[in-house]
Amino acid sequence: MANKRKQHNNEAAVLDLPVEKNQQIELTIEDLSHEGNGVGRVEGYTVFVPGALPGERVSVAITKLKKQYGYARLLDIVSASEDRREPPCPIYKRCGGCTLQHFDYQAQLSFKRKLVEDNLRRIGKIEGVTVHPTIGMDNPWRYRNKAQVPIGEEEGGLIGGFYAQRSHEIIDMESCLIQHEKSDFLVNQVKKIASKYGIPAYDEGSHRGVLRHVVTKVGFATGELMIVLITNSDKLPHQQALVEELAREIPDLKSVVQNINTKRTNVIFGDNTRVLWGEEYIYDTIGDVKFAISARSFYQVNPVQTEKLYSKALEYAGLTGQENVVDAYCGIGTISLFLAQKAKKVFGVEIVPDAIEDAKRNAALNGMDNVEFQVGEAEKVIPAWYTLGNRADVMVVDPPRKGCDEALLQTIIDMKPEKVVYVSCNPSTLARDLRILEDGGYRTVEVQPVDMFPHTTHVECVVKLYLK
Ligand code: SAH
């Protein structure tokens, strides 16, 4: 240990850093990083302190040193921020699912807005654009409609909850404050009833046992409930009794599904899915649009905020009923169907074939015949579609974290739709792409951050662009 410390101290000296590993110091926290860590400085050297908040004076121990920045562990808060709150969740520190519960909710919303502004300025060189205050939740708890819970075993039965940070040790949990209450109830019923029948949990180490994960889905608007049991084997012992008892104990249960995953993998779902009891789908509505949700469907996890986000996208699209709209990265068609209510025609493109199947089913479910969906890469399908002489009046993009492909951005610039609505889950790639669109003749008009994931650092935005 002494040797090791010496080595680190040498390292600090070689790098010419003002602090050493394990050194205890006091810091003033100036900012919050995009990961939600407090940011302090020692003689200009940046130190990240998980759990510390802007404005706080803290005592820390340096844990990790790199050339440009280091990390420190929070030891003591010398003077606390006015925005510091007692995290209501008893397992907050061990879980790691939420990172901002110790931060006042209104302050979280301001932080997210600032994060977007900083990215636009720093990466996009975009100045003077209105970034509206983040649209938050009236009640920022119990907002998720889907839980994926790993199952383990302790003496006395099954446990299920979350993996302790940076490990695969399962910690039992009765309740998760960002999940719908019904989700807690479903998981607890599965643990109780499956324990009673002696159904063994899957064990990663030996690759034996049966029950790997329980996935729950809740239709917020309809109250409909789904349980997915992910098993390491085709056979589920006591299947009949288990399922019948679940159905008896859980009002509003509509579907019990088994998914079989026999691989040694961290991926939750396997390839085979079968309905054990009830329906293949549960239903939910966002605004006036109805969605069918299967065990494997991707569906937005915060339906309350999704409605606000998509209403904003619809407002920014400014549809009159005459427009041809393209929805790139359309998933199961959530935005497409929302826009189809007001557009002449919507064309949705998505890379995952199952999602397109769902999108088509959802269009039919809502009796919408002015939507068309195609499987493929947006950056290939849309340029080809444009080459055939098609045009969009409004282009909507909702890409994954890595942002839009350049070929797609170039097609937008060539095709010159009057409006572009950019929905983004990553402010840094958003800023990069906005710069390309600005250079290609677009003007960023306004930006609306929406808080889809309270108590985490994620931030979603809708952006309106006009052709100059
Ligand atoms: N708009 C949808 C989903 C957005 S998430 C909704 O709100 O539900 C981004 C989607 O882009 C995912 O469904 C992902 O499968 C898809 N995707 C990723 N890369 C793609 C590409 N190159 N072309 C088309 N779709 C892609």
Side-chain angles (χ1 to χ4, degrees):
M1 182 69 205
N3 252 343
K4 201 162 181 204
R5 180 170 303 171
K6 205 164 172 190
Q7 202 183 327
H8 280 298
N9 290 352
N10 285 343
E11 207 175 301
V14 170
L15 293 174
D16 196 22
L17 302 178
V19 283
E20 291 175 353
K21 189 161 170 174
N22 297 324
Q23 189 182 337
Q24 294 191 8
I25 51 168
E26 255 191 49
L27 276 178
T28 298
I29 302 299
E30 298 164 11
D31 208 349
L32 208 56
S33 74
H34 68 279
E35 288 162 317
N37 296 324
V39 183
R41 285 192 178 81
V42 190
E43 296 169 30
Y45 179 73
T46 302
V47 178
F48 294 110
V49 187
L53 292 174
E56 292 189 324
R57 185 78 186 157
V58 292
S59 156
V60 305
I62 303 289
T63 51
K64 193 167 162 186
L65 292 172
K66 293 193 171 192
K67 201 169 161 195
Q68 308 286 354
Y69 57 88
Y71 281 88
R73 183 160 45 88
L74 183 60
L75 298 175
D76 192 30
I77 299 166
V78 181
S79 71
S81 161
E82 278 180 10
D83 293 325
R84 180 167 284 282
R85 297 289 175 271
E86 191 56 43
C89 173
I91 49 178
Y92 176 54
K93 287 214 168 99
R94 292 159 80 202
C95 169
C98 298
T99 42
L100 294 177
Q101 278 193 22
H102 60 292
F103 198 27
D104 174 72
Y105 186 58
Q106 292 308 316
Q108 290 181 26
L109 298 177
S110 307
F111 158 69
K112 291 182 183 189
R113 177 195 197 178
K114 181 170 168 288
L115 202 69
V116 174
E117 283 175 331
D118 288 350
N119 275 284
L120 293 185
R121 194 171 346 96
R122 203 165 40 81
I123 299 171
K125 313 281 179 242
I126 292 163
E127 309 268 356
V129 169
T130 306
V131 178
H132 296 286
T134 311
I135 298 177
M137 299 192 77
D138 295 337
N139 173 15
W141 300 100
R142 299 290 186 187
Y143 60 81
R144 286 183 63 100
N145 59 13
K146 180 178 99 171
Q148 309 192 123
V149 177
I151 298 296
E153 229 173 286
E154 260 176 22
E155 238 174 286
L158 298 176
I159 58 166
F162 58 94
Y163 293 118
Q165 282 194 54
R166 286 181 292 275
S167 91
H168 265 204
E169 182 203 347
I170 295 168
I171 305 214
D172 196 35
M173 174 178 75
E174 288 277 304
S175 170
C176 172
L177 299 182
I178 62 170
Q179 291 290 354
H180 195 287
E181 280 97 344
K182 292 225 175 109
S183 178
D184 287 343
F185 177 64
L186 294 177
V187 176
N188 289 330
Q189 288 294 321
V190 172
K191 285 193 275 191
K192 187 182 88 184
I193 298 168
S195 294
K196 181 173 123 186
Y197 289 108
I199 297 169
Y202 173 65
D203 175 59
E204 264 183 357
S206 63
H207 195 52
R208 289 173 175 228
V210 177
L211 196 53
R212 295 173 74 124
H213 274 84
V214 176
V215 173
T216 64
K217 298 193 178 194
V218 180
F220 269 48
T222 58
E224 296 184 0
L225 305 175
M226 173 183 278
I227 293 174
V228 188
L229 303 169
I230 292 145
T231 60
N232 182 42
S233 54
D234 192 52
K235 188 169 153 44
L236 174 60
H238 305 282
Q239 175 185 312
Q240 184 83 7
L242 169 72
V243 163
E244 277 172 10
E245 195 158 335
L246 286 170
R248 208 162 51 236
E249 295 292 321
I250 303 170
D252 299 326
L253 186 65
K254 287 282 177 293
S255 168
V256 181
V257 175
Q258 180 187 10
N259 172 272
I260 301 147
N261 184 359
T262 57
K263 296 201 183 109
R264 281 184 188 268
T265 170
N266 288 337
V267 176
I268 296 178
F269 280 91
D271 294 333
N272 292 320
T273 305
R274 65 168 170 248
V275 177
L276 298 181
W277 180 89
E279 313 292 326
E280 184 178 356
Y281 296 94
I282 61 168
Y283 294 92
D284 197 20
T285 58
I286 296 181
D288 293 327
V289 185
K290 193 170 179 185
F291 293 93
I293 304 154
S294 72
R296 299 302 310 273
S297 298
F298 170 85
Y299 183 61
Q300 291 280 352
V301 298
N302 183 335
V304 172
Q305 292 303 89
T306 299
E307 182 171 355
K308 296 179 192 169
L309 182 76
Y310 292 172
S311 298
K312 206 30 105 171
L314 189 59
E315 180 195 318
Y316 283 178
L319 301 175
T320 63
Q322 299 305 310
E323 294 83 3
N324 283 314
V325 182
V326 169
D327 179 16
Y329 311 95
C330 72
I332 63 165
T334 337
I335 298 179
S336 314
L337 299 184
F338 227 72
L339 297 173
Q341 301 176 98
K342 297 276 167 64
K344 183 165 137 209
K345 176 106 205 248
V346 180
F347 179 46
V349 180
E350 157 66 45
I351 201 167
V352 176
D354 284 349
I356 288 292
E357 288 299 305
D358 280 348
K360 288 179 178 165
R361 178 176 300 103
N362 288 328
L365 188 65
N366 290 282
M368 292 181 181
D369 52 14
N370 60 338
V371 279
E372 194 186 319
F373 293 104
Q374 191 171 325
V375 181
E377 291 163 84
E379 61 273 21
K380 298 229 169 90
V381 172
I382 293 163
W385 178 83
Y386 171 61
T387 308
L388 290 175
N390 296 297
R391 296 289 179 274
D393 303 300
V394 178
M395 181 86 200
V396 179
V397 297
D398 182 10
R401 290 191 65 77
K402 69 175 186 204
C404 290
D405 190 280
E406 272 214 65
L408 178 65
L409 294 173
Q410 191 54 52
T411 302
I412 296 175
I413 290 166
D414 295 341
M415 182 162 62
K416 298 187 172 44
E418 210 165 296
K419 285 175 208 152
V420 175
V421 178
Y422 194 133
V423 182
S424 161
C425 58
N426 183 347
S428 66
T429 55
L430 169 68
R432 179 201 67 197
D433 291 351
L434 290 183
R435 172 44 46 211
I436 295 172
L437 290 171
E438 289 252 344
D439 292 344
Y442 282 87
R443 182 169 63 88
T444 308
V445 183
E446 53 187 315
V447 181
Q448 177 62 67
V450 179
D451 190 23
M452 304 286 279
F453 304 99
H455 315 298
T456 77
T457 55
H458 294 289
V459 55
E460 200 97 6
C461 291
V462 198
V463 183
K464 176 161 88 178
L465 297 111
Y466 280 163
L467 189 62
K468 271 186 226 166

